[in-house]
């Protein structure tokens, strides 16, 4: 079950030594340079996309990642064909990315805090959500509820996987139900929206998180900019749908640059976990001296136990 | 892998096979699918307000999301129905040009979804069952709609429906287009009229993306499996409702009668369940959605 995190995935594109021009400042950046800076331009701060495995390596404490539901694969339920069959596109995506699907899920520790982490990868068929992504999200939520770990979802998606037709649309309903189960538990759920997060993923679990964090410059919109331009027949403002615009319109909680993401994430989770701890052992019950709860000492111990997952202490250390 | 010569051959064979399928055999099937799409979008097809007119005399429309506006692309309100009160919510297209413009061709903005949420919560408070009618090309793609949180409005509506304690019945009466349609479709029972469609994307947009040519919409329509019988096979809906001879557009009253009977049937079954049990079944149903492979088995 445990899988080692590897960032040395063979890719057809982007072989080592390739230099890339930064869309933000046009500076030429070497692959090694980009890798060193978590795929952020050291010159202007432009955030390049980050693969799912690289994201896990960045967020999870070294050696703590254990993947769940890794063996799930698309079944091509519609026998979908366009210019090429869906099954062939899947094979190619697997080969190009080294991933089995557009989302990986697992448990890990983040600054010593036990967490369920799901990460989407845009390079796997545009990070589209089909049956496997929906089922992986459900199992991740199940795991979070069972172990009382918070769930963190790093999103990157063009929307629903149209090659799975109506089944992909229904993954929006499915993941929504999973979010509701987490809020009944309750376990904290934080989403991290990265460039781009659009369509069905944005219109389901991604925007249902307790706290929504975005990376700078990420495109976050339900409809794609081109679709909107075609509809309204005029060109869009430069900042259309960007994280910064979403923040000012009240759609997300905060924008956090990649190099600060892990620390900020753990602070937010810690705050929410502190609340969960109090909800499990409410102070007022202790004061009312309700029978059968083991007295004030046991109550206090319970709180401490639930708070053990809160990481702000480890941040100080 | 793609660099091996054998696989190129395989690619070619696949391409030729698909071309043959496109040209030959599939043409008739294709026509039947496209006929359904045209019926689902038929200008004379009964809309939500037509069903309300025939099914719910004394319907009281409730307006506004209490935040920003009243979106005419979604209508909702209270009605007395077979000895109980019911909350009716549905997408509304317009019949003539003025109405189409006012109703934005049935494409809701965030305030439409927020109105729907408000009405659902109101129904929940008083134990009133919720009945939704789905008929939209999709949520409106516009700058202001995005700024007001189109995605969040849809996801919040889905969550709202997941949480309702009251029974929910949804009927797809025409076009079930994408997330904008699904937003009213997280229901205990999802029914679909025979000549309606339910799809993740319109065939035109799908063709534009995958074929780079929206003229190939017929091919996209065929492979998307969006007709009522195809959707039923994928176990996404609970039942297909037959339409009057020739289609619902020929007989609004007849279509409304069929929907009314199905609604009553399903409501009775749902009302017989304990709310807790009803919600469990709702969650179990949506948990099963999807088809994937696991350990060599294909799972529903
Ligand atoms: Zn730069």
């Amino acid at each position: 079950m445990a899988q080692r995190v590897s960032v040395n995935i063979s890719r057809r594109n982007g072989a080592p030594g390739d230099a890339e021009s930064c869309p933000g400042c046009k500076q030429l950046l070497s692959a090694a340079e980009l890798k060193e800076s978590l795929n952020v331009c050291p010159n202007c701060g432009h955030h390049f996309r980050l693969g799912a495995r690289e994201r896990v390596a960045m967020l999870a404490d070294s050696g703590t990642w254990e993947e769940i539901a890794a063996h799930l694969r698309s079944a091509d339920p519609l026998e979908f064909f366009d210019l090429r069959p869906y099954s062939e596109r899947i094979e190619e995506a697997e080969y190009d990315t080294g991933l089995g699907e557009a989302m990986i899920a697992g448990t890990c520790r983040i600054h010593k805090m036990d967490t369920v982490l799901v990460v989407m990868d845009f390079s796997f068929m545009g990070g589209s959500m089909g049956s496997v992504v929906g089922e992986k999200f459900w199992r991740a939520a199940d795991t979070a509820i069972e172990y009382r770990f918070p769930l963190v979802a790093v999103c990157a998606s063009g929307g629903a996987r149209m090659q799975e037709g109506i089944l992909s649309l229904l993954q929006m309903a499915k993941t929504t139900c999973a979010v509701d189960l987490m809020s009944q538990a309750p376990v904290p759920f934080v989403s991290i929206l990265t460039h781009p997060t659009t369509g069905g993923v944005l219109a389901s679990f991604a925007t249902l998180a307790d706290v929504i964090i975005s990376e700078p410059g990420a495109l976050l919109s339900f409809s794609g900019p081109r679709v909107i331009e075609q509809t309204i027949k005029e060109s869009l403002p430069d900042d259309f749908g960007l994280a910064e615009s979403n923040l000012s319109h009240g759609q997300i909680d905060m924008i956090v640059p990649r190099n600060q993401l892990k620390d900020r994430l753990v602070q937010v989770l810690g705050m929410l976990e502190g609340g969960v701890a109090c909800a499990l052992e409410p102070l007022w019950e202790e004061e009312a001296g309700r029978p059968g709860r083991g007295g004030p000492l046991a109550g206090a111990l319970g709180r401490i136990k639930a708070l053990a997952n809160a990481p702000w202490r480890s941040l100080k250390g | 892998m793609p660099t091996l010569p054998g696989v190129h051959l395989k690619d070619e064979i696949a391409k030729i096979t698909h071309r043959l399928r496109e040209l030959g055999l599939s043409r008739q099937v294709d026509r039947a699918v496209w006929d359904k799409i045209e019926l689902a979008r038929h200008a004379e097809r009964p809309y939500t307000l037509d069903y309300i007119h025939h099914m719910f005399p004394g319907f009281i429309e409730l307006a506004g999301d209490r935040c920003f506006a009243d979106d005419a692309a979604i209508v909702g309100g209270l009605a007395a129905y077979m000895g109980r009160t019911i909350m009716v919510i549905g997408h509304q297209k317009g019949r003539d040009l003025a109405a189409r413009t006012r109703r934005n061709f049935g494409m809701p903005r965030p305030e439409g979804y927020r109105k729907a949420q408000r009405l659902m919560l109101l129904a929940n408070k008083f134990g009133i069952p919720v009945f939704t009618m789905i008929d939209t090309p999709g949520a409106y793609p516009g700058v202001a709609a995005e700024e007001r949180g189109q995605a969040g409005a849809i996801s919040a509506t889905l969550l709202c429906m997941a949480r309702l304690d009251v029974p929910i019945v949804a009927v797809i009466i025409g076009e079930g287009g994408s997330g904008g349609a699904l937003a009213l479709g997280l229901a205990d029972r999802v029914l679909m009229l025979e000549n309606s469609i339910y799809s993740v994307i319109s065939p035109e947009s799908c063709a534009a993306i995958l074929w780079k040519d929206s003229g190939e919409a017929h091919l996209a329509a065929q492979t998307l499996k969006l007709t009522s019988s195809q959707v039923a096979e994928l176990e996404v809906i609970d039942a297909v409702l037959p339409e009057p001879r020739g289609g619902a557009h020929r007989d609004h009253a007849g279509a409304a009668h069929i929907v009314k009977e199905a609604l009553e049937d399903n409501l009775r079954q749902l009302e017989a369940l304990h709310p807790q049990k009803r919600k469990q079944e709702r969650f179990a149903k949506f948990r099963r959605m999807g088809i994937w492979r696991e350990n060599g088995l294909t799972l529903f």
Side-chain angles (χ1 to χ4, degrees):
Chain A
M1 182 154 143
Q3 286 201 355
R4 296 291 305 163
V5 176
S6 165
V7 291
N8 300 319
I9 295 155
S10 63
R11 280 172 197 276
R12 215 193 278 167
N13 313 316
D18 278 5
E20 216 170 325
S21 163
C22 172
C25 65
K26 309 289 172 224
Q27 187 168 309
L28 221 55
L29 303 166
S30 74
E33 202 175 354
L34 270 176
K35 197 180 158 187
E36 182 65 28
S37 62
L38 301 167
N39 276 15
V40 177
C41 173
N43 190 38
C44 73
H46 174 83
H47 281 54
F48 289 84
R49 285 205 293 265
L50 193 63
R53 298 276 177 217
E54 289 84 348
R55 179 72 65 173
V56 169
M58 168 198 151
L59 288 177
D61 295 347
S62 162
T64 64
W65 169 255
E66 287 194 21
E67 196 164 338
I68 50 180
H71 55 298
L72 270 53
R73 292 290 183 278
S74 169
D76 189 11
L78 269 54
E79 294 175 346
F80 192 96
F81 65 91
D82 47 274
L83 297 175
R84 294 168 57 209
Y86 175 39
S87 51
E88 207 177 288
R89 286 184 191 267
I90 287 273
E91 266 174 41
E92 187 184 274
E94 285 181 7
Y95 175 74
D96 280 356
T97 62
L99 300 169
E101 249 299 334
M103 175 189 274
I104 55 175
T107 57
C108 66
R109 308 194 84 190
I110 302 179
H111 279 324
K112 298 185 183 165
M113 183 175 193
D114 286 311
T115 308
V116 178
L117 180 63
V118 302
V119 184
M120 304 189 78
D121 195 315
F122 192 81
S123 47
F124 193 105
M125 295 197 71
S128 53
M129 173 162 69
S131 299
V132 173
V133 168
E135 179 65 16
K136 279 192 174 190
F137 186 85
W138 188 289
R139 292 191 193 184
D142 251 4
T143 308
I145 293 162
E146 188 185 341
Y147 295 109
R148 291 203 160 271
F149 293 169
L151 187 138
V152 174
V154 184
C155 306
S157 175
R161 171 114 17 115
M162 62 188 138
Q163 289 88 348
E164 292 189 22
I166 192 66
L167 290 168
S168 67
L169 186 68
L170 266 295
Q171 302 311 309
M172 292 170 65
K174 180 170 179 171
T175 54
T176 297
C177 290
V179 170
D180 187 44
L181 292 177
M182 286 195 285
S183 65
Q184 285 173 36
V187 295
F189 168 36
V190 172
S191 65
I192 297 167
L193 311 183
T194 72
H195 180 72
T197 302
T198 61
V201 166
L202 193 67
S204 61
F205 65 89
T207 44
L208 292 175
D210 300 312
V211 174
I212 304 173
I213 302 173
S214 175
E215 287 195 334
L219 174 70
L220 318 170
S221 68
F222 177 64
S223 305
R226 252 174 304 162
V227 174
I228 296 176
E229 273 178 343
Q230 280 164 12
T231 309
I232 63 173
K233 298 188 174 63
E234 51 189 271
S235 55
L236 299 179
D238 285 345
D239 68 341
F240 168 79
L242 296 188
E244 292 72 14
S245 157
N246 273 275
L247 183 70
S248 71
H249 285 102
Q251 304 304 333
I252 59 175
D253 287 288
M254 62 186 90
I255 296 172
V256 181
R258 199 170 284 163
N259 61 2
Q260 296 164 28
L261 191 58
K262 182 168 175 171
D263 288 351
R264 181 43 61 98
L265 175 63
V266 151
Q267 288 163 354
V268 169
L269 288 176
M271 298 285 178
L272 296 174
E273 285 276 285
V276 172
C278 291
L280 292 175
E281 290 286 342
L283 287 164
W284 61 87
E285 283 188 4
E286 190 182 295
E287 280 159 10
R290 275 170 118 207
R293 297 199 61 116
L297 187 62
L301 278 174
R303 266 206 308 289
I304 291 163
K305 240 166 82 182
L307 272 165
N309 208 21
W312 51 67
R313 289 162 295 108
S314 63
L315 266 186
K316 281 185 183 165
Chain B
M1 291 302 147
T3 45
L4 302 175
V7 177
H8 285 300
L9 197 61
K10 198 180 121 199
D11 285 355
E12 286 310 310
I13 293 168
K15 266 184 213 153
I16 292 164
T17 314
H18 287 303
R19 199 65 209 148
L20 283 175
R21 270 164 78 181
E22 287 167 20
L23 291 172
L25 279 176
S26 54
R27 270 297 176 213
Q28 285 139 5
V29 189
D30 189 16
R31 193 61 239 167
V33 169
W34 198 256
D35 285 348
K36 294 254 184 211
I37 293 171
E38 285 182 343
L39 279 179
R41 294 169 173 174
H42 199 287
E44 295 302 315
R45 197 168 169 83
Y47 297 148
T48 292
L49 283 175
D50 299 309
Y51 285 100
I52 288 175
H53 170 74
H54 287 285
M55 290 169 67
F56 309 109
F59 170 75
I60 299 170
E61 185 170 350
L62 302 172
D65 68 344
R66 301 294 188 271
C67 294
F68 181 76
D70 181 51
D71 186 350
I74 289 186
V75 294
L78 293 163
Y81 176 70
M82 312 284 274
R84 60 171 99 68
T85 306
I86 192 164
M87 181 65 80
V88 186
I89 303 167
H91 301 101
Q92 179 63 37
K93 297 177 175 177
R95 193 69 69 192
D96 54 42
L97 187 62
R100 277 188 198 126
T101 310
R102 191 166 81 81
R103 307 225 176 250
N104 202 26
F105 299 85
M107 294 187 284
R109 297 178 166 95
E111 43 275 22
Y113 295 111
R114 292 186 177 123
K115 171 166 71 176
Q117 289 165 40
R118 183 176 76 82
L119 299 186
M120 287 172 191
L121 292 174
L122 172 62
N124 204 52
K125 180 171 160 186
F126 294 107
I128 296 168
V130 172
F131 172 50
T132 66
M133 283 180 271
I134 295 169
D135 189 17
T136 178
Y140 182 63
V143 176
E146 293 288 343
E147 287 173 349
R148 293 197 295 278
Q150 187 71 286
I154 291 171
S155 65
T157 312
L158 287 168
L159 189 62
C160 179
M161 293 186 88
R163 287 176 172 172
L164 293 185
D165 297 312
V166 293
I168 317 168
V169 177
V171 181
I172 301 160
I173 58 171
E175 264 186 294
S178 189
L182 175 73
L184 300 183
L186 204 160
D188 296 307
R189 296 289 159 81
V190 182
L191 315 174
M192 197 167 163
L193 277 168
E194 190 185 341
N195 295 318
S196 55
I197 55 172
Y198 199 12
S199 183
V200 64
I201 186 169
S202 76
E204 289 83 358
S205 309
C206 181
I209 295 169
L210 292 179
W211 279 265
K212 319 268 182 257
D213 176 4
S214 57
E216 299 282 24
H218 284 61
L219 291 173
Q222 203 193 332
T223 192
L224 276 169
K225 300 212 166 50
L226 39 66
T227 67
S228 56
S229 54
Q230 291 170 322
V231 170
E233 259 176 57
L234 294 167
E235 297 183 26
V236 162
I237 56 165
D238 298 286
V240 176
L241 306 180
E243 291 185 19
R245 232 181 139 76
H249 61 286
R250 297 243 177 109
D251 181 5
H252 288 198
H257 182 74
I258 290 163
V259 171
K260 186 174 181 172
E261 292 215 313
L263 172 62
E264 180 57 17
D265 228 39
N266 282 281
L267 268 187
R268 255 198 235 141
Q269 290 167 23
L270 291 169
E271 281 165 341
L273 296 172
H274 189 277
Q276 207 68 38
K277 167 96 174 138
R278 199 162 51 218
K279 269 176 90 171
Q280 270 173 16
E281 287 186 4
R282 186 186 303 158
F283 273 66
K285 176 170 100 165
F286 285 99
R287 194 245 181 287
R288 282 194 305 270
M289 292 286 168
I291 300 175
W292 64 90
R293 283 186 299 136
E294 188 167 359
N295 304 325
L297 298 169
T298 298
L299 300 175
F300 280 77

